[in-house]
Amino acid sequence: MVRESEFYWRRLHSLLGIIPIGLFVTQHLIINHFATRGAESFNTAAHFIENLPFIYFLEWFVIYIPLMFHAFYGVYLAFTSKNNVQRYGTFRNWMFMLQRVTGVFLVIFIAWHIYETRIQKMFGAEVNYDMMAEIFANPFMIVFYALGILAATFHLANGVWSFLVTWGLAQSPRSQKIVTYVTLGIFVILSVIGMRALFAFA
């Protein structure tokens, strides 16, 4: 039986995965997609975001702090939850397991991505099209980022399903089936956007 405090921590974890983290991931992928229109288009979009008022406040309190809580508590859940795919093997049990596997991988991927971009910016580098093109000059990084994009879009899309069920917005089998198709669409659309952006840099 889940203790009351753990119940609320899980609800907060679920909520932050959608708002603001899910919204940020979607926005980040869309900004990156401007690279398909060329270097100047991407640089303009990226610099617009960087020049928003109170950008450091927004980064820490809307992105980094919620992301760190979601990531660290998610890792805790990943290593304490019991996966039962070998015994039951249903579609949802596989999604449950993949949610935790992608979550752990994303902790590594996001930490590396922040190091290659935001940390390098602190040391004077400019986050622009040329920086990303230089990163993707390495074929290994193309594969690594492709896996990161697919893990992020799956984790978000499946997280939306879990959020709607956890918060009582999709309780009946019919509504859960509809949400499954909707979230599959989210996964496909965001994956296409992310992969198009990746190969625009490469």
Side-chain angles (χ1 to χ4, degrees), residues 8 13 26 33 36 43 67 76 93 108 125-126 142 154 168 172 184 186:
Y8 289 114
H13 176 261
T26 303
H33 192 261
T36 60
N43 290 338
L67 181 60
Y76 164 77
N93 285 335
I108 300 169
E126 184 178 358
I142 295 177
F154 169 84
S172 69
L184 176 61
I186 292 173

Side-chain angles (χ1 to χ4, degrees), residues 20 24 32 51 79-80 92 96 112 124 196 198:
F24 169 73
N32 289 345
N51 292 325
F79 287 101
T80 57
R92 270 299 141 200
F96 178 88
W112 180 257
R196 278 175 55 86
L198 169 62

Side-chain angles (χ1 to χ4, degrees), residues 7-201:
F7 171 82
Y8 289 114
W9 284 123
R10 286 174 178 262
R11 284 297 179 95
L12 179 60
H13 176 261
S14 174
L15 178 62
L16 291 178
I18 306 302
I19 304 170
I21 298 170
L23 295 177
F24 169 73
V25 170
T26 303
Q27 172 263 325
H28 191 54
L29 291 172
I30 292 172
I31 292 296
N32 289 345
H33 192 261
F34 277 85
T36 60
R37 302 181 184 180
E40 183 178 353
S41 181
F42 171 78
N43 290 338
T44 299
H47 291 155
F48 171 78
I49 296 297
E50 290 179 349
N51 292 325
L52 287 174
F54 310 109
I55 184 62
Y56 293 112
F57 174 86
L58 292 173
E59 283 185 335
W60 276 100
F61 289 94
V62 178
I63 302 171
Y64 294 140
I65 292 176
L67 181 60
M68 285 188 289
F69 171 79
H70 187 81
F72 296 144
Y73 192 68
V75 169
Y76 164 77
L77 292 177
F79 287 101
T80 57
S81 299
K82 295 182 179 180
N83 298 316
N84 54 4
V85 292
Q86 292 181 343
R87 182 176 179 183
Y88 296 103
T90 64
F91 174 76
R92 270 299 141 200
N93 285 335
W94 280 104
M95 294 300 100
F96 178 88
M97 185 190 73
L98 288 174
Q99 187 74 356
R100 273 120 189 95
V101 171
T102 55
V104 172
F105 174 74
L106 283 170
V107 171
I108 300 169
F109 171 74
I110 293 171
W112 180 257
H113 180 53
I114 290 174
Y115 168 77
E116 283 198 307
T117 55
R118 309 310 297 177
I119 301 299
Q120 297 307 311
K121 182 182 178 182
M122 291 172 58
F123 289 105
E126 184 178 358
V127 181
N128 57 18
Y129 183 94
D130 291 337
M131 169 188 272
M132 301 309 299
E134 184 177 349
I135 291 172
F136 296 132
N138 183 343
F140 172 80
M141 296 310 298
I142 295 177
V143 174
F144 181 59
Y145 269 76
L147 292 174
I149 290 168
L150 293 175
T153 54
F154 169 84
H155 196 80
L156 173 57
N158 194 56
V160 170
W161 187 93
S162 298
F163 171 82
L164 294 174
V165 173
T166 299
W167 287 78
L169 301 175
Q171 290 296 296
S172 69
R174 181 175 182 274
S175 64
Q176 291 181 11
K177 185 175 182 180
I178 292 172
V179 171
T180 296
Y181 288 121
V182 171
T183 53
L184 176 61
I186 292 173
F187 168 68
V188 171
I189 292 170
L190 291 182
S191 295
V192 169
I193 291 173
M195 298 304 286
R196 278 175 55 86
L198 169 62
F199 287 104
F201 291 119

